[in-house]
């Protein structure tokens, strides 16, 4: 998942981090594991079926309190593995390559 043909710097974790995906309206929440992340996307492993979930736009909760999150959309599903892309707001500026990883550290 590269932007404009450039390689995306992705951090792959040796062990996954427990995170959740949650509907924008809060009607559903699913536990999953964060396997890799970059400034623009992430790779997750989801336990159980994702059928019936509206994954066009959702939140990725990076903490058990739900205070740290990113708005996302589904890019690809391969078995239990999902590729997601982080959505940017209309007024949000692009982040540098070094930022964006602090939420999972």
């Amino acid at each position: 998942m590269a932007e404009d043909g450039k390689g995306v710097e992705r951090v792959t974790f040796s062990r996954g981090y427990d995170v959740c995906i949650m509907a924008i309206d809060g009607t559903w929440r699913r536990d999953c594991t964060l396997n890799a992340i970059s400034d623009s996307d992430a790779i997750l492993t989801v336990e159980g079926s994702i059928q019936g979930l509206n994954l066009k736009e959702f939140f990725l909760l990076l903490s058990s309190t739900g205070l740290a999150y990113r708005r996302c959309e589904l890019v690809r599903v391969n078995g239990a593995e999902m590729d997601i892309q982080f959505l940017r707001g209309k007024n949000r500026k692009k982040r540098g390559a070094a930022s964006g990883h602090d939420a999972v550290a």
Side-chain angles (χ1 to χ4, degrees):
M1 288 183 280
E3 294 179 30
D4 302 329
K6 299 176 187 174
V8 175
E9 184 178 332
R10 179 178 290 129
V11 176
T12 302
F13 305 111
S14 58
R15 63 172 180 83
Y17 286 89
D18 292 334
V19 295
C20 293
I21 54 177
M22 184 180 77
I24 297 295
D25 62 3
T27 57
W28 55 263
R29 186 172 174 156
R30 184 68 53 90
D31 291 331
C32 55
T33 304
L34 179 65
N35 299 320
I37 192 167
S38 75
D39 282 345
S40 61
D41 60 29
I43 298 174
L44 308 172
T45 301
V46 180
E47 295 297 326
S49 173
I50 60 170
Q51 285 186 324
L53 300 181
N54 180 6
L55 295 173
K56 176 63 180 162
E57 196 169 329
F58 58 93
F59 287 124
L60 177 63
L61 306 177
L62 299 177
S63 69
S64 60
T65 62
L67 295 177
Y69 64 87
R70 297 285 304 264
R71 204 166 185 145
C72 313
E73 68 180 350
L74 181 67
V75 175
R76 181 185 69 88
V77 177
N78 182 13
E81 189 174 274
M82 294 172 42
D83 288 349
I84 63 170
Q85 181 174 9
F86 298 132
L87 299 176
R88 297 187 184 277
K90 291 180 182 176
N91 298 324
R92 182 182 260 173
K93 295 179 182 177
K94 282 190 170 185
R95 293 182 177 194
S99 66
H101 302 298
D102 53 339
V104 293

